[in-house]
């Protein structure tokens, strides 16, 4: 479509609550707040993007002003209008500009697919798989599972009702014995074949993490995410234990230099968008560092995960998901729900998803009325923030 130009950009902050709050290292996790992006063009085609937070709304809107009149298919040109020198903003300035443009860049790829009338995975080279695996999630939830037996029973029910055999979860109440007991209950209840991954959000000190790893290593833990706060501590854990370790911190150089963590788990907007995520994952592959996608989205970013996982052979492990716990998102037919561990990649042009305007308005209004969802509230410490490690 020759001569297509950007005519405007809309950034709409929304809340995406979970059915029950989950405990994580920062306190209660009631859900997430995202920014939905619509890049409009003079041809009537709209590209959809999603930022992983709402703190970038003003930056996204300012970038939208800069992009008016630009060619949305010239992604490098659009980036040069929005992002100062990459190394500076990544390391010595404010990296939120990367996240803001990364969310817009996802929308530009959606536009590119719609112009070409091709799904994103085909623009990325074609699908090596079309059934994309995601984990179920477990944890300690207010009004829900608050004991090892209850967590195990929940996972067994997910297996019976949805064919799920891949599980990841947070066992975060600052009590190592509780985590150890829950791992034992999970393995006993789910049997040898189920995949169990853990995510600690850096709750443990190194001595406590070593104690936990020693106790749970016999239970065939597929991966443990951010058990401690630094790569140096992760490397020390890997010296003593065989449990693979992942992190949300996307520092390939340090991971390779230290030999840990084994996997990086993140959001494409955090990396600067689809184009930079492709290069990042390629670097992971070249250096033997694994990669998968994180959880808690409004449907648009999830569609991006599906297409990238379809097209990138290196993303072989299941990505995280909170799908079962989400009570809504902003796409028609959402939220995604896995069956027998997988979700099919959307086959429509671009990201292959359509914005549900009623849902967008509803969850935007939820944010206006309630404010962004607070991830750092601890009912036992009102008005104060937790400190790490928890133990």
């Amino acid at each position: 479509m020759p001569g297509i130009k950007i005519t405007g950009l809309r950034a709409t902050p929304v809340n995406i609550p979970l059915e029950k709050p989950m405990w994580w290292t920062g306190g209660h996790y009631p859900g997430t707040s995202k920014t939905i992006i619509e890049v409009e063009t003079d041809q009537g085609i709209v590209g959809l993007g999603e930022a992983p937070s709402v703190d970038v709304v003003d930056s996204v809107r300012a970038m939208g002003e800069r992009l008016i009149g630009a060619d949305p298919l010239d992604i490098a040109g659009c980036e040069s209008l929005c992002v100062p020198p990459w190394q500076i903003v990544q390391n010595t300035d404010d990296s939120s500009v990367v996240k803001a443009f990364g969310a817009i860049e996802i929308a530009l790829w959606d536009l590119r697919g719609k112009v070409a009338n091709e799904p994103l995975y085909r623009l990325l080279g074609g699908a090596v798989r079309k059934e994309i695996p995601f984990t179920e999630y477990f944890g300690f939830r207010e009004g829900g599972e608050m004991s090892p037996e209850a967590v195990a029973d929940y996972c067994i029910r997910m297996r019976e009702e949805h064919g799920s055999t891949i599980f990841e979860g947070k066992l975060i109440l600052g009590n190592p014995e509780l985590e150890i007991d829950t791992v034992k209950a999970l393995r006993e209840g789910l049997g040898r074949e189920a995949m169990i991954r853990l995510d600690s959000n850096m709750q443990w000190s190194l001595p406590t993490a070593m104690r936990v790893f020693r106790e749970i290593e016999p239970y065939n833990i597929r991966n443990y995410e951010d058990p401690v706060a630094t790569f140096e501590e992760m490397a020390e854990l890997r010296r003593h234990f065989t449990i693979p370790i992942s992190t949300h911190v996307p520092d390939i150089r340090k991971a390779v230099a230290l030999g840990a963590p084994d996997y990086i788990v993140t959001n494409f907007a955090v990396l600067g968008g689809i184009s930079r995520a492709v290069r990042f994952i390629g670097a992971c592959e070249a250096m033997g560092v694994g990669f998968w996608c994180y959880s808690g989205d409004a449907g648009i970013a999830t569609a991006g995960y599906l297409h990238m996982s379809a097209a990138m052979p290196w993303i072989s492990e299941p990505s995280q998901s909170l799908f079962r716990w989400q009570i809504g998102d902003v796409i028609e037919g959402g939220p995604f729900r896995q069956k027998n561990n997988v979700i099919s990649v959307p086959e429509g042009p671009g990201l292959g998803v359509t914005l549900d305007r009623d849902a967008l308005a509803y969850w935007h209004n939820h944010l206006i009325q309630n404010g962004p969802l607070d991830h750092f509230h601890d009912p036992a410490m009102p008005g104060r923030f937790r400190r790490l490690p928890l133990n």
Side-chain angles (χ1 to χ4, degrees), residues 179-253:
E179 175 158 319
I180 292 164
D181 289 346
T182 307
V183 167
K184 293 177 179 178
L186 284 166
R187 182 54 72 199
E188 180 179 349
L190 294 171
R192 296 179 60 186
E193 300 303 317
M195 181 190 297
I196 298 174
R197 299 197 315 212
L198 301 174
D199 181 358
S200 198
N201 295 124
M202 305 178 182
Q203 76 169 317
W204 301 130
S205 65
L206 180 58
T208 300
M210 294 187 75
R211 174 186 167 199
V212 170
F213 270 49
R214 183 172 60 249
E215 293 289 335
I216 67 174
E217 191 169 38
Y219 294 92
N220 189 23
I221 302 305
R222 182 67 159 245
N223 182 78
Y224 202 124
E225 188 160 285
D226 285 326
V228 287
T230 70
F231 281 22
E232 289 80 4
E233 291 171 315
M234 294 178 196
E236 184 65 16
L237 282 171
R238 289 294 281 122
R239 285 184 60 238
H240 297 280
F241 304 101
T242 60
I243 299 172
I245 296 172
S246 63
T247 184
H248 286 314
V249 181
D251 191 337
I252 301 175
R253 291 183 181 91

Side-chain angles (χ1 to χ4, degrees), residues 65-97:
E65 293 294 322
R66 287 174 167 265
L67 289 171
I68 291 176
D71 178 357
L73 306 184
D74 180 10
I75 292 177
C78 290
E79 182 182 299
S80 71
L81 292 171
C82 297
V83 184
W86 201 267
Q87 294 84 346
I88 295 174
V89 296
Q90 280 277 40
N91 296 301
T92 62
D93 199 66
D94 180 4
S95 63
S96 67
V97 69

Side-chain angles (χ1 to χ4, degrees), residues 117-176:
N117 197 31
E118 294 280 7
L120 175 58
Y121 72 78
R122 285 182 59 84
L123 301 186
L124 297 173
V128 296
R129 62 183 71 85
K130 289 194 174 182
E131 299 295 305
I132 311 304
F134 286 86
T135 70
E136 292 283 351
Y137 222 80
F138 59 81
F140 297 123
R141 301 194 290 168
E142 290 299 316
E145 304 81 36
M146 288 298 292
S147 70
E149 296 75 19
V151 171
D153 288 345
Y154 170 81
C155 292
I156 292 167
R157 181 160 59 86
M158 293 302 99
R159 181 181 62 188
E160 293 171 347
E161 294 180 2
H162 306 292
S164 302
T165 60
I166 302 173
F167 300 89
E168 179 169 342
K170 305 179 191 295
L171 300 176
I172 297 175
L173 288 177
N175 183 346

